Amino acid sequence: MVKMNRIRDFYQGIAPRYANFLASLRGDFKEFRDLERRILEGLYDSKVYYVGAGESSNVITLVHGRNKVLGVDFSENMFAESRKKLEQSGIAYLQQTFNERAQITKEQLDDVFSRSDVFLLHGDAKDVQLPERYFDASVIYCTLPNMSDETQLKVLEAMKSASSRILISVYKLQSLGEVLSAYENTGEKGDVNEDTLRLENGLIYKIVPATKLKRIFDGWELKVHEHTFGFVYEFTH
């Protein structure tokens, strides 16, 4: 809990500067972000569950493909930036906050998506319960490594239950130094030690081995989108 609170505090603090962080990306880091976006552009006219929706850059990409999106994030400040972007883009959205557990029903989602394109759910993804196989796809981009092993398992099991197609992106070990440099350009300080990036203000990013994901998704088909900077794993069942 202490770790997650520190990570939440980090994103609360960086939220007003996060757009500048994304705009500053260059080289392989930017190319990897572009790869993530192109894969999302392949989703069309679908319902998508997005864990770690943040300031909604990728959510907007999904909406442009006529998708309906449920985005969950534990940073209210990130969602404040998200609301600005959605309003500027003329995208209809609704937001709900929960403190302990959110049990979202099919009827509730049907109602929300009949009135809006995006449902922002403010809270911890490990505490979200969703209707089985309601979504066509679930997405978690470069957020899983911020979580503890226990939280990772809870979040992924919920995603497996909610949809039959799951997209997970992670950085490669050799890319952590460049990720650190990108954050340092925003004024953050930190270090990389073996398989973990740590920032003084709380962010922890620990590499998630492919073997771990394959074990969790045993019996699922796997397609790997590889870039020099990272991987996007696409599991289907």
Side-chain angles (χ1 to χ4, degrees):
M1 181 61 72
V2 173
K3 172 185 172 182
M4 292 307 295
N5 286 341
R6 290 197 67 205
I7 293 173
R8 182 184 294 110
D9 291 345
F10 168 80
Y11 282 110
Q12 286 285 86
I14 202 174
R17 295 176 282 129
Y18 200 71
N20 293 334
F21 165 73
L22 295 178
S24 72
L25 299 182
R26 298 290 184 271
D28 286 342
F29 201 163
K30 182 180 184 301
E31 288 179 6
F32 184 60
R33 294 281 305 189
D34 290 342
L35 170 64
E36 291 178 318
R37 187 186 68 253
R38 287 196 301 273
I39 292 171
L40 294 182
E41 288 172 345
L43 296 174
Y44 186 78
D45 201 16
S46 300
K47 296 185 181 70
V48 181
Y49 176 46
Y50 199 116
V51 176
E55 37 67 68
S56 284
S57 294
N58 286 331
V59 169
I60 291 172
T61 295
L62 287 166
V63 172
H64 287 164
R66 293 178 56 184
N67 297 292
K68 300 288 188 177
V69 185
L70 169 62
V72 61
D73 202 286
F74 60 14
S75 169
E76 169 55 27
N77 289 354
M78 277 294 196
F79 268 172
E81 299 301 314
S82 175
R83 291 192 296 270
K84 293 177 188 176
K85 285 189 173 184
L86 293 170
E87 290 166 7
Q88 289 168 359
S89 300
I91 294 173
Y93 70 91
L94 294 173
Q95 179 172 340
Q96 177 179 322
T97 298
F98 67 95
N99 295 318
E100 294 183 0
R101 181 167 294 277
Q103 187 165 0
I104 308 299
T105 65
K106 176 184 182 300
E107 291 73 22
Q108 183 180 3
L109 290 168
D110 286 344
D111 176 63
V112 169
F113 289 145
S114 71
R115 296 181 286 132
S116 64
D117 296 310
V118 176
F119 185 15
L120 300 177
L121 195 57
H122 173 225
D124 197 323
K126 71 177 175 57
D127 297 322
V128 178
Q129 290 183 315
L130 299 170
E132 187 171 353
R133 289 293 192 269
Y134 181 87
F135 293 91
D136 301 292
S138 294
V139 180
I140 182 165
Y141 272 0
C142 293
T143 298
L144 198 65
N146 298 157
M147 302 173 177
S148 67
D149 289 344
E150 180 183 2
T151 298
Q152 286 178 5
L153 186 58
K154 286 183 178 180
V155 169
L156 292 176
E157 289 296 337
M159 294 171 76
K160 286 168 62 178
S161 174
S163 64
S164 57
R165 183 181 183 187
I166 298 176
L167 297 168
I168 302 169
S169 75
V170 295
Y171 303 131
K172 289 185 176 179
L173 177 62
Q174 61 265 33
S175 301
L176 292 186
E178 191 172 341
V179 176
L180 175 60
S181 295
Y183 278 113
E184 287 177 336
N185 289 337
T186 70
E188 301 294 333
K189 295 181 180 180
D191 63 77
V192 175
N193 184 13
E194 296 182 347
D195 64 348
T196 304
L197 180 155
R198 288 183 174 84
L199 297 182
E200 291 181 359
N201 285 347
L203 180 69
I204 299 174
Y205 188 100
K206 183 178 175 64
I207 293 294
V208 179
T211 52
K212 179 179 183 177
L213 295 176
K214 290 176 182 178
R215 185 169 61 251
I216 293 172
F217 288 92
D218 183 40
W220 289 53
E221 293 185 11
L222 170 60
K223 180 179 180 180
V224 180
H225 307 266
E226 183 174 4
H227 185 272
T228 54
F229 203 82
F231 299 98
V232 179
Y233 298 110
E234 182 175 354
F235 290 96
T236 55
H237 190 264

